[in-house]
Amino acid sequence: MAFLQAPPSLGNQFDDDRVLRSYLARVLPEEVRRDVSPALSELGALAGGELYELQLADRLNVPVLTPWDPWGNRIDHIELTAVWKRAAALTAEYGLIATPYERRHGALSRVDQFARVYLFNPSTDVYTCPLAMTDGAARTLTVHANAEVSARALPHLLSRDPAQFWTSGQWMTERTGGSDVGLSETVARQDPDGTWRLHGTKWFSSATTSQMALTLARPEGNPPGGRGLALFYVETRDEGGKLQRIGVNRLKDKLGTRKVPTAELSLDGTPAIAVAGLSGGVRAITPMLNITRTWNAVCSASLMRRGVALARDFARRRHAFGASLSDKPLHLDTLAGLQAEAEAGFHLTFRAVELLGREEGAEATAEERNLLRLITPLVKLTTARQAVQVTSEAIECFGGAGYVEDTGLPALLRDAQVLPIWEGTTNVLSLDALRAMGDTATVQALHAEVASLAAAVRDPALAAVARVALGAVERALHTARSHMADAPSAAEGLALLEADARRIALTLGRSLALALLARHADWSLSHEHDSRAKAAALRFARNGVDLLGAAPDLAEARRLAMDEG
Ligand code: MFK
């Protein structure tokens, strides 16, 4: 008989997910869990079945831009893929944006929402990109409470009716750079009747097919920098369905997220409404950034879960060297390491989700708000790096099949690779974490969180790893302080701190993940009599959480980085 390999398959992605189910059992009261479980189970069935099959069948399709109609009219029509169309309808039906605003379960509505997103994301070809921005826009409009804009947009963004539902873009990046938003060149000019009109080029506009966008532009005469920008609301089409002086120059040809219609846009007098005054635009858009960064982490956790689920299923089917891969010690050790990363990333992410839900309902204490401010960048950057590493290893678990496009597997790695880039690169977010740590209350909140998690763990082996996490947090905080305190000048101290920022941030992120995983594992041991999460915590500790080394040598880094001296 010919040698054939069996493809991996997926079951119900909710019913099969012991990590998600155990977490929900700990954090949700029984009546809430009963209320949310049917929708999660339906989404789990869709994600492992219909949507996954549609995704594989639709693999070769990408969004197509048609600039002109046959009669010479400029139309800039973008035809989306089949998965995206299906995902749009499911989004409204399952309230993927509406859930946290309806607050049916108070602060826990964010846990409900992001559990749905976690199931939905890996089978919907990064449709979560426009959704993240839509949620970010809804949050930003809620915070700024601009009555006119809120009345126009919020009923659509929060609609559960597919015919009414809108998505939003977040048009920030310009040719002058993606990280340093203060360099933006788009200008806002006012007509005599008071209408603002935007003129400029937006260089990376994901979700170009959205009905609205929040964007930044500089009202004429304003000073340079982020403070001189203002936050504007744009509706992309007029009542007749025509783009409002928006030209789609081309769609980007990207490494991954190929189903996302990311475009270069020209704004040539696009009408806009100022959302939050006529300056301070960077500050004004930060609620959006913090929401999209949370989505990014949820999507990182979910892609890790998908990679491990496929690799685990394949390990059961694949025989090599006379035995099943699932009986090979080295393969088991590899998969165990990946599962531990995925599980730690999950608990880290959902801690931020819990805090976000509390902050939005004004239930968070000052300490919780400070903790959320610091951990949002930590959670995004930590999980994004994990997602690239885990999906890379996961496709390696398939050997050559993982490198072959029609298995659908390479897309996992390609789509994961964007996660450390968009919404702030690892380095930009490490610096954002330092910015947050400038307020010592955030540092105290993080230390208190990890100390209290460590103190709560009863099982001796888990208590030992939770103490490892606390020790690493203390070393990272001490390192940050001593760079500033011990340097000959403030400038040298800042340079050392900046050079070490990524190691400090990753150590804090991974240590918090370990403490959270240890606490959950301790709960699972005593309440579910399940030692699986304990194995994950012990393994994650062995994977390593402390990335600090000797103090950075700035001169050596310059010689190596720039090939000098
Ligand atoms: C699947 C998941 C989906 C994800 C969807 C993705 C689709 C996305 C497509 C994109 O749009 S990707 C583009 C994303 N771009 C970024 O994330 C920008 C990255 N750069 C930064 O985050 C920089 O740190 C930043 C632009 C904010 C720096 O700009 P500035 O002008 O140098 O800011 P500055 O002066 O440090 O901060 C301005 C104010 O904002 C300060 O407050 P004050 O005015 O009160 O002093 C800061 O404290 C505050 N701030 C900055 N970042 C904050 C923040 N406040 C709260 N949270 C933050 N994260």
Side-chain angles (χ1 to χ4, degrees), residues 127-147:
Y127 186 70
T128 40
C129 166
L131 295 188
M133 299 190 287
T134 303
D135 191 352
R139 175 75 185 140
T140 305
L141 296 183
T142 305
V143 167
H144 293 304
N146 176 319

Side-chain angles (χ1 to χ4, degrees), residues 373-456:
R373 171 65 187 98
L374 175 53
I375 75 169
T376 301
L378 296 179
V379 169
K380 192 277 191 184
L381 71 91
T382 303
T383 54
R385 297 208 74 75
Q386 287 181 303
V388 174
Q389 182 224 330
V390 169
T391 53
S392 171
E393 284 279 3
I395 69 171
E396 188 175 335
C397 289
F398 292 85
Y403 202 66
V404 170
E405 290 290 352
D406 54 3
T407 61
L409 294 165
L412 262 182
L413 175 58
R414 270 204 301 271
D415 290 345
Q417 184 63 68
V418 80
L419 296 164
I421 296 176
W422 66 10
E423 289 311 319
T425 62
T426 310
N427 284 1
V428 165
L429 290 181
S430 299
L431 297 175
D432 184 50
L434 287 188
R435 187 197 275 116
M437 287 164 69
D439 177 355
T440 51
T442 67
V443 174
Q444 283 158 7
L446 178 61
H447 184 267
E449 165 90 349
V450 178
S452 89
L453 288 165

Side-chain angles (χ1 to χ4, degrees), residues 128-129 132-133 170 172-173 178-179 181 206 226-227 282-283 286 289-290 292-293 295-296 299 373 422-424 428 432 435:
T128 40
C129 166
M133 299 190 287
Q170 169 198 336
M172 289 207 330
T173 305
S179 298
V181 174
S206 293
R227 294 229 161 87
V282 169
R283 180 92 186 85
T286 55
L289 300 186
N290 290 330
T292 50
R293 287 169 186 173
W295 276 75
N296 205 90
C299 293
R373 171 65 187 98
W422 66 10
E423 289 311 319
V428 165
D432 184 50
R435 187 197 275 116

Side-chain angles (χ1 to χ4, degrees), residues 518-556:
R519 186 273 309 268
H520 181 78
D522 196 58
W523 177 89
S524 181
L525 267 183
S526 57
H527 289 75
E528 300 176 318
H529 310 293
D530 188 343
S531 59
R532 208 200 47 78
K534 175 174 174 178
L538 301 185
R539 176 58 194 255
F540 185 66
R542 288 207 300 284
N543 285 359
V545 298
D546 185 342
L547 305 185
L548 301 161
D553 182 330
L554 300 177
E556 177 196 84

